[in-house]
Amino acid sequence: MFTRQLVDVEKSDFFVDWGNGTSHRLLTQKDGMGFTVCHTVVRAGSESRLHYRRHLEACYCVAGSGEVEDMSGEVHRIEPGTIYVLNEHDDHYLRADAAGDMILVSVFNPPLNGTERHVLSENGGSAY
């Protein structure tokens, strides 16, 4: 058994600014659990096109609000108590409302090594 604090992750390579927010990689591949858990902050008013080609992801909203849009144009409202699941390596847009940051608990399978960073561009979704 072990514990880990956000403040300790912030002092390590496992605290990542991914362009439109931050990610505390609380549990990573090196921990041997078979999945990653992140405390993810999506900055207020931001929009990010994301696409995880090698990872499945589920995100549970604990604060703030926003939306996720798939590439067919279907929009899903995200608010505290909502989980969204990218179960088919879904290319998507993630948006936080302008009123404040959106806070998510993100789970990845297979696990991240913990230092991956997005490269956000207008030409396509960031992927790792």
Side-chain angles (χ1 to χ4, degrees):
M1 180 187 305
F2 64 90
T3 64
R4 190 166 284 143
Q5 297 285 320
L6 281 178
V7 66
D8 295 328
V9 173
E10 286 176 3
K11 300 171 190 169
S12 76
D13 291 338
F14 300 120
F15 177 66
V16 174
D17 186 322
W18 54 269
N20 284 337
T22 59
S23 179
H24 293 76
R25 275 67 187 276
L26 295 165
L27 195 64
T28 64
Q29 184 177 34
K30 74 173 186 65
D31 295 310
M33 295 293 295
F35 57 92
T36 288
V37 176
C38 304
H39 173 96
T40 303
V41 176
V42 184
R43 289 191 180 106
S46 68
E47 174 181 274
S48 306
R49 184 173 172 189
L50 307 171
H51 188 190
Y52 301 106
R53 293 182 177 99
R54 294 183 296 272
H55 303 278
L56 300 176
E57 182 189 28
C59 295
Y60 181 70
C61 182
V62 296
S65 59
E67 62 187 27
V68 63
E69 179 180 355
D70 66 26
M71 300 317 288
S72 73
E74 186 173 358
V75 176
H76 304 272
R77 188 79 187 136
I78 307 300
E79 54 191 27
T82 304
I83 190 171
Y84 70 89
V85 180
L86 304 168
N87 62 328
E88 295 182 356
H89 304 280
D90 309 86
D91 193 354
H92 63 287
Y93 289 97
L94 178 60
R95 301 180 186 103
D97 290 344
D101 293 343
M102 184 167 51
I103 312 285
L104 307 169
V105 175
S106 304
V107 178
F108 289 88
N109 184 26
L112 302 174
N113 69 31
T115 58
E116 295 89 345
R117 296 182 186 280
H118 289 291
V119 178
L120 301 174
S121 72
E122 296 177 13
N123 300 326
S126 177
Y128 54 76

